[in-house]
Amino acid sequence: MGRLIVVSNRVAPVGDEKRNTGGLAVGLLGAMREAGGIWFGWNGQVTTTAAPLARQEKNGITFATIGLNKRDYRQYYSGFSNATLWPTFHYRIDLARFDRNEYAGYQRVNAMLADELMTFLQTDDVVWVHDYHLLPFAQACRKRGALNPIGFFLHIPFPEPQVVATIPPHQELMRAMLSYDLLGFQTETDRRAFLNTIAQQSGVQVHEDGSVHAEGNVTRTGVYPIGVSPGHIAEESAAGRDLSRQITRGVSGDTRKVVVSVDRLDYSKGLVERFCAFDTLLETTPELRHRVQFIQIAPPSRSDINSYQLIRKQLEAEAGRINGKFSDLDWVPIRYINKSYDRRTLMGLFRNAQAGFVTPLRDGMNLVAKEYVAAQDPEDPGVLVLSRFAGAAQELDGALLVNPYDRTGMAEALRTALSMPLEERQARHAGMLQVLKTADIDAWRNRFLEDLRRG
Ligand code: ADQ
């Protein structure tokens, strides 16, 4: 079996596996370890001069990383990836911008990464590319002569054709995706949207089995909902429980119920709408005042992009407004925290919370929803309140599904969650845990890699 080369925009820092790395990185590291693999991508640093490819080995995996210079970072990362593709793919064309220079930078960095890859690619290597930063990466590799199997997994949603069409070079981009041998999506909805988009191009045929034929090339497509490691999470949550109990007790006392949300601070996660729903809950259910504590953890991300600065300000204002309205000497309803926590604390916090409030406006999957379920005590589980627009909603049918644009509906679901009888909580949780165990992170990567290798 050839080596596995994983390519992603960002390579997790070497040796930082335990502390902050989520299930995704751990799952990928597992695959690379098995296949003597290489993880290739950006090291997260912005350099002033060109830095050569650095290689570091740890536990049988080679980390091959490069820095980006300021212009590349601005155009490829902050620009076309995160100010064009990210908002558009999350249906926020109102926040998307298009700049030709940024697009040129996006293509340039993809080409530069392909150049680097070619310096160590061997004929029997299998290449697995991740996410929207790298849509044209396989095409750049093919131009340089790579004949290897190259697969791609899209972690974020794929939007409807009319939305894709708002990106000026959408035809070129979609066409570039056909240089991959296998395209993986989180849900059938995403895959369908891609097939409907690509079917509109001339000279392209979409077959019943979801394969796409163009110019003698065949690109297969598949649905691979990303999973978590329920076993690990159960251990982490049990270990972190006492620690997080101290944290929750510090503010709320033992009798208060806890509602928890954890997200990157991103406009796609529906944080403002969620705060408003919590406001409505307290407004319409006075008996819950003093008796419920909402903990929102949201570390800032991409803070050099305007729309991210704006959402941060909006949230601060909302948290201040709601806390000002309801707080008392012994109770502050919303604890809004802008920092990261290690996995154990986070999973312990999930386990101590009677409701997981996960309400993105759009999300490819949303691992937090799955982590919340996996972290529960099966004897006395909390209830997941989940947006119907998260990919996870297509699997987690034991959750209370909500529309994140309906604040009254969300408030009602929270009220239901906080008063749900034990038996119903157990039944809903057991069904979801079974799904998580069957479709875990190992199953996700094994299915994708088997399909890619099968050719
Ligand atoms: P994200 O948009 O980053 O991922 P998500 O799936 O929720 O969203 O994953 C976030 C991960 O970071 C989770 O494992 C979570 O526990 C962790 N995390 C979040 N806040 C944290 C904090 N304060 N401290 C420590 N850890 C924190 C993208 C897509 C998703 C898709 C994933 C994986 O947008 O839809 O599910 O990729 O494919």
Side-chain angles (χ1 to χ4, degrees), residues 19-24 86 90 130-132 153-157 186 226-228 262-266 268-269 297-299 302 337-343 346-347 350 358 362-369 371 390-392 444:
R19 227 183 80 74
N20 264 333
T21 334
L24 169 61
W86 175 274
H90 287 87
H130 290 261
D131 234 357
Y132 59 101
F153 183 75
L154 183 69
H155 289 259
I156 65 175
Q186 299 272 25
I226 192 167
V228 294
V262 174
D263 314 76
R264 273 184 311 100
L265 215 175
D266 192 297
S268 66
K269 302 291 183 184
I297 297 178
R302 306 171 192 166
I337 303 165
N338 286 136
K339 59 188 262 197
S340 288
Y341 287 93
D342 61 69
R343 301 276 307 166
L346 219 52
M347 299 308 130
F350 287 165
V358 186
R362 286 280 161 183
D363 221 327
M365 177 54 60
N366 196 300
L367 291 177
V368 171
E371 289 164 352
W444 169 75

Side-chain angles (χ1 to χ4, degrees), residues 236-250:
E236 286 167 338
S237 76
R241 194 181 40 191
D242 293 341
L243 185 61
S244 85
R245 208 179 262 156
Q246 286 165 15
I247 305 169
T248 49
R249 189 182 294 147

Side-chain angles (χ1 to χ4, degrees), residues 118-134:
M118 296 308 287
T119 64
F120 60 85
L121 187 71
Q122 296 174 3
T123 43
D124 59 349
D125 288 341
V126 167
V127 184
W128 188 6
V129 181
H130 290 261
D131 234 357
Y132 59 101
H133 316 83
L134 300 168

